[in-house]
Amino acid sequence: MFAMIPHDWIAGLLGGLMIGASAALLLLGNGRILGASGILGTLLAGEDPARERLAFVAALIAAPALAALAFGAPAFGQARELPLVVLAGLLVGIGTRMANGCTSGHGVVGMARFAPRSIVATLVYLGAGFVTLFLVRHLLGAI
Amino acid sequence: MRLVISALSGALFGLGLLVSGMTDPAKVQGFLDLAGAWDPTLIFVLGGAVAPMIVAWRIAARSRRALTGASFPPAPAPRIDARLVAGSVLFGAGWALAGFCPGPALASLGWSGVTGLSFTLAMAGGMIVHARLAARRSLQPA
């Protein structure tokens, strides 16, 4: 396990800094919170300003796709059971909108503001994630 | 200008997710798997992302307006309600099942194939269902 940490550690920290810089840019530039679920959810609900959110989502999809074309496809986990993937997508879609945020909006932007709601949300979804993975992988033997 | 900043931020966010390794669902599940070969990378990603954002909030607190003249978002009421907790439970469960959260799901659409597209469409469907239900609820008398 520790043999793989140095590389992943640096990549994780560098990628994290880029994520933080992108959120700082959106806040200091446009006065907006970078939350992936909030931006996509309000875009799908037809709320204004739709063009800004569309530009964000389009660039979020296109930039890594172009990087993958240029430098080769990145690591991507094994094939999964499709019904489980669809269930997971529904849970993430409904859950993030109920909670008004996900890993980016609550986990990065809200935590950096020391917002109590975001700290609670992050602890709860992390806890639910740990428990769900343990149940489904180690007790049920799926995923 | 606002559109350019939105697009630049989206691009940098996507590239950061790619560099960090968080677009790989197996890596995210590796972090959530405390009982398996635990992968701590996500902690470094979160730490790296929160640090510049703490600085950004400090700058925002001292400036009146954003570069484009917009005002900064007000702090949310510190209300911890059942919706916040229940929604976060559902999100955490779905996150663990697929190894995807909203940002990485979008960022990896270029190569995530049927799996990634199915997840993203189901997630979008869940968001639309929530928006419809919320709109209906707000029409009803309290």
Side-chain angles (χ1 to χ4, degrees), chain B residues 76-139:
Chain B
R79 190 162 44 95
I80 313 295
D81 51 15
R83 274 174 55 85
L84 180 77
V85 174
S88 297
V89 168
L90 296 182
F91 165 44
W95 188 37
L97 280 181
F100 276 127
C101 54
L106 292 170
S108 62
L109 275 178
W111 62 87
S112 59
V114 177
T115 306
L117 189 61
S118 306
F119 178 89
T120 306
L121 289 177
M123 176 177 77
M127 288 176 168
I128 291 170
V129 166
H130 179 270
R132 293 264 162 91
L133 291 177
R136 189 177 300 175
R137 201 164 40 231
S138 69
L139 289 178

Side-chain angles (χ1 to χ4, degrees), chain B residues 1 8-9 21 24 32 35 37 43 50 55 61 66 74 79 87 89 91-92 94 115 121 130 135 138 140:
Chain B
M1 188 61 189
L8 279 178
S9 172
D24 182 3
L32 292 174
I43 291 180
V50 166
V55 178
R79 190 162 44 95
V89 168
F91 165 44
T115 306
L121 289 177
H130 179 270
S138 69
Q140 289 170 349

Side-chain angles (χ1 to χ4, degrees), chain A residues 8-9 28-29 52 77 113 138, chain B residues 2 24 27 33 44 68 73:
Chain A
D8 288 11
W9 181 88
L28 299 177
E52 277 177 34
R113 199 180 204 182
H138 296 287
Chain B
R2 290 185 62 92
D24 182 3
K27 217 160 163 43
D33 191 2
F44 294 99
T68 52

Side-chain angles (χ1 to χ4, degrees), chain A residues 17-82:
Chain A
L17 286 169
M18 292 167 71
I19 294 167
S22 70
L25 174 65
L26 201 61
L27 179 72
L28 299 177
N30 285 358
R32 289 273 168 185
I33 299 224
L34 193 160
S37 57
I39 292 173
L40 182 65
T42 48
L43 178 65
L44 291 171
E47 288 178 31
D48 281 332
R51 283 174 62 208
E52 277 177 34
R53 295 191 172 108
L54 193 60
F56 179 90
V57 171
L60 168 56
I61 298 170
L66 289 174
L69 272 182
F71 303 109
F76 189 73
Q78 68 280 16
R80 278 137 220 281
E81 302 279 346
L82 225 42

Side-chain angles (χ1 to χ4, degrees), chain A residues 2 4 9 13-14 23 28 33 40 44 46 48 64 81 84 86 96 114 117 128 131 134 136 142:
Chain A
F2 287 100
M4 54 175 265
W9 181 88
L13 199 58
L14 179 65
L28 299 177
I33 299 224
L40 182 65
L44 291 171
D48 281 332
E81 302 279 346
L84 209 60
V86 169
T96 53
F114 304 104
R117 276 176 62 82
V131 170
F134 180 78
V136 179

